[in-house]
Structures are given as C-alpha cells and as structure tokens.
Amino acid sequence: YMSVSNYQYHAREEVPLKEQWVKWQNPCQVRYGNDGSGAHFADYVLPALNETDVFPIVKRPVTRSDFANVANDCRSLFQAKDDLKNANFHEHLMALNPNEGLRLATAELIIQGFQNGGDILRMANNIVRLKQAENVVKYSAYYKQMEKYLSVY
C-alpha cells in the first residue's frame, strides 16, 4: 500500500507545498550528497537487513544484487524516454503509464539515498536496529539491576 499511496499522492497536478522535492529530486540517486559522490545508501541499510541473528529463517532478505536490480529498473524509467529526457520526477509520474509510474515511485521508496526516499529499506533497518537494542537491554546486567526494560513489538 505504501508504494501505491506514494504514487497516487505525487502523480497529481498540484504538488503540495511540503512535497516540492518531487520537482527536483532524482529518484534513482543512491548516494548521499548533492552531487551523488557521498556514501552509498545500501552501505547503511543492507548490513542490518542481512544479519542472520535477526532473520534466522530468511537468507539475505535484500541483497546488493536486489538493490542494484531496483536501481537499474529505476534508471530504465527515469529520463530514459526521448520525450522525458529533461523531465523531473513529478513530470514522470504524471506522464508514465500507471504501471511504469508505480515502478518508478516504488524504486524511489526503496533505493533513493539522498534526502527523501529510501523509506522502505530505512523502516526495515529501523525495525532490525530496535530489535537489536531490545536484546542489548534484555541481556545487560546493568539494565536488569536498574529494572529497565525495552520492548519492541
């Protein structure tokens, strides 16, 4: 639902004031920094998502190859068509057919590493990190002595 909601919300004529980023952001940028030369977004989120103590049954739920495939799909859609070579993200969402627009909006939610975007992997990363924090507190003599607990549901 998150991807569909993201697509429907941003693929409309009037862009809300707080959502102006859709007019200038590159949805396929996977590196931090204005020029894209900074750290790779995957380096921040994939390590936690691939820790076997958190996901003991699932082997590598998101691999670097998966991330690269989403990035490649994003680049196959963004500024790839002649009539959209200079178009921004918002113009793409307005012009692409719904299937392609949804793919582009979903890619932005998965891989985009600069400012807005990357929400799906960031949320998964946060869940893993919170679960790890819960275990630190659970097995810490200090927190047991202080009778402090942390529960992540």
Side-chain angles (χ1 to χ4, degrees), residues 30-32 37-46 64 67-68 71 111 113:
V30 297
R31 292 187 174 276
Y32 289 95
S37 64
H40 199 284
F41 177 57
D43 293 338
Y44 288 100
V45 294
L46 293 186
R64 201 165 272 281
F67 190 95
I111 63 159

Side-chain angles (χ1 to χ4, degrees), residues 62-83:
V62 181
T63 65
R64 201 165 272 281
S65 176
D66 296 330
F67 190 95
N69 288 339
V70 174
N72 289 335
D73 189 46
C74 189
R75 286 188 287 273
S76 78
L77 296 166
F78 187 67
Q79 297 182 337
K81 295 182 178 186
D82 288 336
D83 58 335

Side-chain angles (χ1 to χ4, degrees), residues 6 10 15 18-34 36 41 74 77-79 84-93 104-119 122:
N6 177 49
H10 294 105
V15 178
K18 292 185 177 186
E19 299 293 316
Q20 295 298 307
W21 60 267
V22 297
K23 293 183 177 181
W24 56 263
Q25 179 175 277
N26 176 345
C28 306
Q29 183 173 338
V30 297
R31 292 187 174 276
Y32 289 95
N34 286 330
F41 177 57
C74 189
L77 296 166
F78 187 67
Q79 297 182 337
L84 294 172
K85 285 283 185 203
N86 297 310
N88 62 38
F89 183 37
H90 178 252
E91 291 165 338
H92 276 73
L93 295 178
L104 184 62
T106 302
E108 186 268 340
L109 282 176
I110 295 172
I111 63 159
Q112 211 289 333
F114 181 62
Q115 294 188 349
N116 291 300
D119 297 3
R122 286 181 213 275

